[in-house]
Amino acid sequence: MSAKTPDVAAAPDRQREQGRALTRLLPYLLIAPAVIALGLVLGGTLFRNVLISLQEFGRRQLISRTTEWAGLDNYVEVLTNDRFWSTLVRTFVFMAANVVLIMVIGTLCGLLLLRLGKRMRLVLSISLVLAWAMPIIPSTTVFRWIFDTQFGLVNWLMRTLGFSGYDQHNWFDSGLSTLTIATLLIVWTSVPFVALNLYAGLTTVSGEIYEAARMDGASAWRIFWSIVLPIMKPFFLITTFLEIIWVFKAFAQIYALNGGGPNRASETLPVMAYVAGMGQQQYGIAAAISVVTLLILVVAMSFYFRLILKQEKEQS
Protein backbone atom coordinates (compact mmCIF):
# COMPACT_ATOMS: atom_id res chain seq x y z
CA MET A 1 0.00 0.00 0.00
CA SER A 2 1.66 3.21 -1.14
CA ALA A 3 1.95 6.23 1.12
CA LYS A 4 0.15 9.42 0.12
CA THR A 5 2.29 12.12 -1.39
CA PRO A 6 2.60 15.40 0.63
CA ASP A 7 0.52 17.33 -1.93
CA VAL A 8 -2.33 14.80 -1.81
CA ALA A 9 -2.28 14.68 2.00
CA ALA A 10 -2.33 18.48 2.29
CA ALA A 11 -5.20 18.92 -0.21
CA PRO A 12 -8.04 18.38 2.34
CA ASP A 13 -6.35 20.83 4.72
CA ARG A 14 -6.12 23.45 1.99
CA GLN A 15 -9.78 22.93 1.11
CA ARG A 16 -10.85 23.31 4.73
CA GLU A 17 -8.77 26.46 5.07
CA GLN A 18 -10.29 27.90 1.90
CA GLY A 19 -13.76 27.02 3.19
CA ARG A 20 -13.10 28.80 6.49
CA ALA A 21 -11.72 31.82 4.64
CA LEU A 22 -14.82 31.95 2.45
CA THR A 23 -17.05 31.65 5.52
CA ARG A 24 -15.27 34.60 7.13
CA LEU A 25 -15.56 36.67 3.96
CA LEU A 26 -19.20 35.79 3.26
CA PRO A 27 -20.78 38.42 5.59
CA TYR A 28 -18.65 41.15 4.01
CA LEU A 29 -19.52 39.96 0.51
CA LEU A 30 -23.24 40.04 1.37
CA ILE A 31 -23.18 43.62 2.66
CA ALA A 32 -20.76 44.86 -0.03
CA PRO A 33 -23.50 45.94 -2.52
CA ALA A 34 -25.30 47.98 0.14
CA VAL A 35 -22.03 49.56 1.33
CA ILE A 36 -21.02 50.44 -2.23
CA ALA A 37 -24.44 51.96 -2.97
CA LEU A 38 -24.37 54.02 0.23
CA GLY A 39 -20.81 55.10 -0.53
CA LEU A 40 -21.76 56.30 -4.00
CA VAL A 41 -24.93 58.10 -2.91
CA LEU A 42 -23.91 59.52 0.47
CA GLY A 43 -20.19 59.77 -0.20
CA GLY A 44 -20.69 61.80 -3.37
CA THR A 45 -23.17 64.13 -1.66
CA LEU A 46 -20.88 64.60 1.34
CA PHE A 47 -17.90 65.33 -0.92
CA ARG A 48 -19.93 67.93 -2.81
CA ASN A 49 -21.09 69.48 0.45
CA VAL A 50 -17.51 69.82 1.70
CA LEU A 51 -16.51 71.48 -1.57
CA ILE A 52 -19.35 74.00 -1.29
CA SER A 53 -18.30 74.78 2.29
CA LEU A 54 -14.91 75.88 0.92
CA GLN A 55 -16.47 78.23 -1.63
CA GLU A 56 -18.04 81.66 -1.66
CA PHE A 57 -21.38 80.33 -2.86
CA GLY A 58 -24.32 82.73 -2.88
CA ARG A 59 -26.97 84.05 -5.21
CA ARG A 60 -24.44 85.74 -7.52
CA GLN A 61 -22.31 82.62 -7.91
CA LEU A 62 -25.43 80.51 -8.44
CA ILE A 63 -26.70 82.74 -11.27
CA SER A 64 -23.35 83.30 -12.94
CA ARG A 65 -22.28 79.66 -12.44
CA THR A 66 -18.85 80.73 -11.22
CA THR A 67 -16.69 79.06 -8.60
CA GLU A 68 -15.00 81.34 -6.05
CA TRP A 69 -12.87 79.50 -3.52
CA ALA A 70 -12.94 80.91 0.00
CA GLY A 71 -10.81 78.36 1.82
CA LEU A 72 -11.76 78.15 5.47
CA ASP A 73 -13.43 81.57 5.56
CA ASN A 74 -16.90 80.06 5.88
CA TYR A 75 -15.81 77.97 8.86
CA VAL A 76 -14.18 80.99 10.48
CA GLU A 77 -17.36 83.02 9.98
CA VAL A 78 -19.49 80.25 11.45
CA LEU A 79 -17.26 79.57 14.47
CA THR A 80 -16.88 83.27 15.30
CA ASN A 81 -20.62 83.89 15.12
CA ASP A 82 -22.27 84.18 18.54
CA ARG A 83 -25.55 82.94 17.06
CA PHE A 84 -23.88 79.66 16.10
CA TRP A 85 -22.67 79.00 19.65
CA SER A 86 -26.00 79.89 21.21
CA THR A 87 -27.72 77.60 18.69
CA LEU A 88 -25.22 74.83 19.47
CA VAL A 89 -25.97 75.07 23.20
CA ARG A 90 -29.71 75.14 22.48
CA THR A 91 -29.34 72.05 20.28
CA PHE A 92 -27.51 70.10 23.01
CA VAL A 93 -30.02 71.10 25.70
CA PHE A 94 -32.93 70.23 23.40
CA MET A 95 -31.33 66.89 22.54
CA ALA A 96 -30.59 66.00 26.17
CA ALA A 97 -34.15 66.79 27.31
CA ASN A 98 -35.66 64.74 24.49
CA VAL A 99 -33.37 61.72 24.91
CA VAL A 100 -33.97 61.56 28.68
CA LEU A 101 -37.75 61.74 28.26
CA ILE A 102 -37.74 59.22 25.39
CA MET A 103 -35.64 56.68 27.29
CA VAL A 104 -37.54 57.06 30.58
CA ILE A 105 -41.05 56.95 29.10
CA GLY A 106 -40.08 54.29 26.57
CA THR A 107 -38.62 52.10 29.32
CA LEU A 108 -41.75 52.48 31.44
CA CYS A 109 -43.96 51.58 28.47
CA GLY A 110 -41.78 48.56 27.68
CA LEU A 111 -42.03 47.32 31.26
CA LEU A 112 -45.78 47.95 31.19
CA LEU A 113 -46.15 45.85 28.03
CA LEU A 114 -44.46 42.97 29.84
CA ARG A 115 -46.92 43.08 32.75
CA LEU A 116 -50.17 43.67 30.87
CA GLY A 117 -52.57 40.95 29.79
CA LYS A 118 -52.87 39.90 26.18
CA ARG A 119 -55.77 42.21 25.27
CA MET A 120 -54.43 45.36 26.87
CA ARG A 121 -50.94 44.57 25.56
CA LEU A 122 -52.40 44.34 22.06
CA VAL A 123 -54.23 47.66 22.47
CA LEU A 124 -51.11 49.43 23.76
CA SER A 125 -48.90 47.86 21.08
CA ILE A 126 -51.26 48.97 18.29
CA SER A 127 -51.36 52.50 19.77
CA LEU A 128 -47.57 52.64 19.88
CA VAL A 129 -47.23 51.36 16.32
CA LEU A 130 -49.75 53.93 15.04
CA ALA A 131 -47.84 56.75 16.75
CA TRP A 132 -44.59 55.42 15.36
CA ALA A 133 -45.96 55.02 11.81
CA MET A 134 -47.37 58.56 11.66
CA PRO A 135 -45.43 60.58 9.05
CA ILE A 136 -43.57 63.61 10.36
CA ILE A 137 -45.34 66.39 8.45
CA PRO A 138 -48.92 65.18 9.13
CA SER A 139 -48.11 64.68 12.82
CA THR A 140 -46.57 68.16 12.97
CA THR A 141 -49.70 69.57 11.33
CA VAL A 142 -51.85 67.86 13.96
CA PHE A 143 -49.75 69.36 16.75
CA ARG A 144 -49.99 72.81 15.18
CA TRP A 145 -53.78 72.45 15.19
CA ILE A 146 -53.78 71.24 18.81
CA PHE A 147 -51.85 74.35 19.88
CA ASP A 148 -53.48 76.71 17.38
CA THR A 149 -54.13 80.24 18.64
CA GLN A 150 -57.75 80.50 17.55
CA PHE A 151 -59.07 76.95 17.13
CA GLY A 152 -56.55 74.98 19.18
CA LEU A 153 -57.67 72.10 21.38
CA VAL A 154 -55.33 73.09 24.22
CA ASN A 155 -56.72 76.65 24.45
CA TRP A 156 -60.27 75.27 24.43
CA LEU A 157 -59.41 72.76 27.14
CA MET A 158 -57.74 75.39 29.34
CA ARG A 159 -60.77 77.70 29.01
CA THR A 160 -63.13 74.81 29.74
CA LEU A 161 -61.20 74.03 32.93
CA GLY A 162 -61.66 77.64 34.05
CA PHE A 163 -58.17 79.03 33.42
CA SER A 164 -58.03 82.65 32.30
CA GLY A 165 -55.72 84.15 29.69
CA TYR A 166 -56.15 81.38 27.14
CA ASP A 167 -58.46 83.21 24.77
CA GLN A 168 -56.40 83.05 21.54
CA HIS A 169 -53.22 82.36 23.51
CA ASN A 170 -50.20 82.03 21.18
CA TRP A 171 -48.18 78.95 22.13
CA PHE A 172 -45.53 79.80 19.56
CA ASP A 173 -44.68 83.29 20.81
CA SER A 174 -41.35 82.21 22.33
CA GLY A 175 -38.54 79.86 21.49
CA LEU A 176 -38.95 77.94 24.75
CA SER A 177 -42.64 77.17 24.23
CA THR A 178 -42.01 76.25 20.58
CA LEU A 179 -39.24 73.82 21.52
CA THR A 180 -41.43 72.42 24.30
CA ILE A 181 -44.12 71.57 21.76
CA ALA A 182 -41.45 70.12 19.46
CA THR A 183 -40.26 68.01 22.40
CA LEU A 184 -43.77 66.64 22.94
CA LEU A 185 -43.97 65.79 19.25
CA ILE A 186 -40.56 64.09 19.05
CA VAL A 187 -41.06 62.16 22.29
CA TRP A 188 -44.52 61.02 21.15
CA THR A 189 -43.12 59.61 17.88
CA SER A 190 -39.92 58.16 19.39
CA VAL A 191 -41.19 56.37 22.52
CA PRO A 192 -42.69 53.43 20.53
CA PHE A 193 -39.26 52.48 19.15
CA VAL A 194 -37.80 52.19 22.65
CA ALA A 195 -40.86 50.54 24.20
CA LEU A 196 -41.41 47.86 21.57
CA ASN A 197 -37.74 46.94 21.28
CA LEU A 198 -37.33 46.80 25.06
CA TYR A 199 -40.39 44.56 25.35
CA ALA A 200 -39.00 42.29 22.64
CA GLY A 201 -35.73 42.03 24.55
CA LEU A 202 -37.42 41.39 27.89
CA THR A 203 -39.41 38.49 26.46
CA THR A 204 -36.11 36.62 26.00
CA VAL A 205 -35.34 36.80 29.73
CA SER A 206 -36.49 33.76 31.68
CA GLY A 207 -39.41 34.44 34.01
CA GLU A 208 -37.77 32.27 36.66
CA ILE A 209 -35.29 35.04 37.32
CA TYR A 210 -38.08 37.49 38.20
CA GLU A 211 -39.84 34.87 40.34
CA ALA A 212 -36.67 34.16 42.29
CA ALA A 213 -36.12 37.85 42.89
CA ARG A 214 -39.69 38.35 44.11
CA MET A 215 -39.37 35.36 46.45
CA ASP A 216 -36.28 37.02 47.92
CA GLY A 217 -38.40 40.10 48.63
CA ALA A 218 -36.98 42.33 45.89
CA SER A 219 -39.08 45.37 45.01
CA ALA A 220 -39.96 46.33 41.44
CA TRP A 221 -37.25 49.00 41.46
CA ARG A 222 -34.69 46.52 42.79
CA ILE A 223 -35.61 43.99 40.10
CA PHE A 224 -35.18 46.61 37.40
CA TRP A 225 -31.88 47.92 38.81
CA SER A 226 -30.28 44.54 39.57
CA ILE A 227 -31.76 42.31 36.84
CA VAL A 228 -33.31 44.19 33.91
CA LEU A 229 -30.70 46.93 33.61
CA PRO A 230 -27.61 44.65 33.61
CA ILE A 231 -29.18 42.18 31.17
CA MET A 232 -30.48 44.89 28.83
CA LYS A 233 -27.42 47.14 29.11
CA PRO A 234 -26.41 46.68 25.43
CA PHE A 235 -29.94 47.62 24.37
CA PHE A 236 -29.93 50.80 26.47
CA LEU A 237 -26.51 51.83 25.16
CA ILE A 238 -27.38 51.29 21.51
CA THR A 239 -30.86 52.81 21.76
CA THR A 240 -29.65 55.87 23.64
CA PHE A 241 -27.01 56.52 21.02
CA LEU A 242 -29.51 56.11 18.18
CA GLU A 243 -31.90 58.53 19.87
CA ILE A 244 -29.08 61.06 20.32
CA ILE A 245 -28.42 60.99 16.58
CA TRP A 246 -32.14 61.08 15.75
CA VAL A 247 -32.91 64.08 17.96
CA PHE A 248 -29.69 65.97 17.16
CA LYS A 249 -30.52 66.00 13.45
CA ALA A 250 -34.26 66.63 13.91
CA PHE A 251 -35.29 69.27 11.40
CA ALA A 252 -38.79 68.83 9.99
CA GLN A 253 -40.54 68.86 13.38
CA ILE A 254 -38.98 72.17 14.45
CA TYR A 255 -39.10 73.96 11.12
CA ALA A 256 -42.64 72.88 10.27
CA LEU A 257 -43.91 74.05 13.66
CA ASN A 258 -42.65 77.62 13.53
CA GLY A 259 -39.81 77.94 11.01
CA GLY A 260 -37.23 78.23 13.79
CA GLY A 261 -38.96 81.33 15.17
CA PRO A 262 -39.93 83.58 16.66
CA ASN A 263 -36.84 85.60 15.77
CA ARG A 264 -34.85 82.36 15.30
CA ALA A 265 -35.24 81.61 19.01
CA SER A 266 -36.11 77.96 18.41
CA GLU A 267 -33.39 77.23 15.87
CA THR A 268 -31.24 74.13 16.18
CA LEU A 269 -28.18 73.45 14.02
CA PRO A 270 -30.07 71.67 11.19
CA VAL A 271 -32.65 74.48 11.08
CA MET A 272 -29.88 77.09 11.16
CA ALA A 273 -28.17 75.44 8.19
CA TYR A 274 -31.45 75.35 6.24
CA VAL A 275 -32.26 78.99 6.98
CA ALA A 276 -28.77 80.08 5.97
CA GLY A 277 -28.94 78.13 2.72
CA MET A 278 -32.53 78.22 1.49
CA GLY A 279 -33.63 81.35 3.33
CA GLN A 280 -30.59 83.61 3.01
CA GLN A 281 -29.02 81.83 0.00
CA GLN A 282 -25.65 81.61 1.73
CA TYR A 283 -24.97 78.08 0.59
CA GLY A 284 -21.30 78.10 1.57
CA ILE A 285 -22.18 79.06 5.15
CA ALA A 286 -24.97 76.48 5.25
CA ALA A 287 -22.60 73.77 4.02
CA ALA A 288 -20.04 74.74 6.66
CA ILE A 289 -22.68 74.48 9.40
CA SER A 290 -23.73 71.04 8.16
CA VAL A 291 -20.11 69.83 8.07
CA VAL A 292 -19.54 71.04 11.63
CA THR A 293 -22.75 69.26 12.67
CA LEU A 294 -21.50 66.07 11.04
CA LEU A 295 -18.14 66.37 12.81
CA ILE A 296 -19.94 66.69 16.16
CA LEU A 297 -21.86 63.49 15.43
CA VAL A 298 -18.64 61.73 14.38
CA VAL A 299 -17.04 62.65 17.72
CA ALA A 300 -20.11 61.29 19.51
CA MET A 301 -19.88 58.09 17.46
CA SER A 302 -16.22 57.65 18.40
CA PHE A 303 -17.09 57.73 22.11
CA TYR A 304 -19.91 55.28 21.48
CA PHE A 305 -17.72 52.78 19.62
CA ARG A 306 -15.05 53.02 22.31
CA LEU A 307 -17.71 52.20 24.88
CA ILE A 308 -18.94 49.22 22.85
CA LEU A 309 -15.41 47.87 22.36
CA LYS A 310 -14.68 48.25 26.06
CA GLN A 311 -17.85 46.35 26.91
CA GLU A 312 -16.96 43.54 24.49
CA LYS A 313 -13.51 43.22 26.07
CA GLU A 314 -15.05 42.98 29.52
CA GLN A 315 -17.43 40.23 28.38
CA SER A 316 -14.75 38.23 26.57
Side-chain angles (χ1 to χ4, degrees):
M1 184 176 181
S2 60
K4 292 182 179 180
T5 62
D7 292 340
V8 174
D13 294 334
R14 286 199 299 268
Q15 291 177 357
R16 283 194 294 271
E17 185 62 31
Q18 291 175 356
R20 285 193 291 266
L22 181 61
T23 301
R24 289 193 295 267
L25 288 175
L26 184 59
Y28 300 99
L29 294 176
L30 292 175
I31 66 173
V35 172
I36 293 173
L38 286 174
L40 293 175
V41 175
L42 299 180
T45 304
L46 178 60
F47 179 73
R48 177 60 176 165
N49 192 64
V50 173
L51 286 182
I52 293 176
S53 70
L54 300 175
Q55 299 174 12
E56 183 68 30
F57 199 151
R59 182 182 302 174
R60 179 170 57 84
Q61 291 80 10
L62 187 64
I63 295 175
S64 62
R65 298 179 179 273
T66 57
T67 301
E68 300 180 13
W69 294 98
L72 298 177
D73 290 349
N74 290 328
Y75 292 95
V76 172
E77 183 174 347
V78 168
L79 296 177
T80 54
N81 189 345
D82 293 337
R83 183 182 294 277
F84 169 80
W85 293 106
S86 61
T87 303
L88 179 62
V89 173
R90 184 185 303 119
T91 303
F92 272 101
V93 173
F94 178 73
M95 176 198 67
N98 276 268
V99 171
V100 169
L101 289 173
I102 290 169
M103 294 305 299
V104 171
I105 299 175
T107 300
L108 293 175
C109 288
L111 295 173
L112 181 61
L113 283 170
L114 189 66
R115 298 178 67 92
L116 287 175
K118 291 184 179 180
R119 293 183 179 179
M120 291 306 300
R121 183 187 300 130
L122 179 63
V123 171
L124 180 56
S125 298
I126 293 175
S127 301
L128 291 171
V129 170
L130 290 176
W132 193 12
M134 188 75 169
I136 294 177
I137 298 302
S139 59
T140 305
T141 303
V142 171
F143 268 71
R144 279 198 59 86
W145 170 76
I146 292 174
F147 291 93
D148 184 73
T149 301
Q150 187 173 1
F151 303 106
L153 177 64
V154 175
N155 281 344
W156 171 84
L157 180 62
M158 298 300 287
R159 292 194 304 268
T160 302
L161 294 176
F163 293 95
S164 60
Y166 290 94
D167 186 17
Q168 297 190 353
H169 177 74
N170 185 6
W171 292 93
F172 300 98
D173 63 347
S174 70
L176 179 60
S177 60
T178 301
L179 289 177
T180 301
I181 297 172
T183 298
L184 294 176
L185 173 58
I186 292 174
V187 170
W188 176 68
T189 55
S190 301
V191 160
F193 174 78
V194 179
L196 295 174
N197 281 281
L198 177 61
Y199 169 69
L202 291 175
T203 56
T204 63
V205 181
S206 174
E208 296 177 356
I209 300 177
Y210 302 116
E211 292 297 330
R214 293 189 186 98
M215 290 179 64
D216 290 338
S219 62
W221 170 252
R222 186 64 179 176
I223 292 175
F224 173 79
W225 188 258
S226 300
I227 297 177
V228 175
L229 190 59
I231 294 176
M232 302 300 297
K233 183 178 179 181
F235 163 81
F236 285 113
L237 289 176
I238 295 173
T239 306
T240 301
F241 179 72
L242 292 176
E243 292 299 336
I244 287 174
I245 295 178
W246 167 252
V247 177
F248 195 88
K249 66 183 185 66
F251 163 76
Q253 298 92 332
I254 301 172
Y255 189 80
L257 276 177
N258 203 22
N263 298 321
R264 307 181 69 172
S266 62
E267 273 188 355
T268 57
L269 286 182
V271 177
M272 184 181 185
Y274 181 83
V275 171
M278 302 304 295
Q280 302 173 350
Q281 295 187 336
Q282 296 178 345
Y283 301 105
I285 297 295
I289 296 173
S290 64
V291 171
V292 172
T293 303
L294 178 62
L295 291 176
I296 293 172
L297 290 176
V298 168
V299 171
M301 288 175 62
S302 66
F303 283 106
Y304 167 74
F305 286 122
R306 285 178 58 188
L307 185 62
I308 293 296
L309 292 175
K310 181 180 178 181
Q311 183 180 357
E312 290 181 352
K313 289 181 180 179
E314 292 175 353
Q315 293 177 350
S316 61

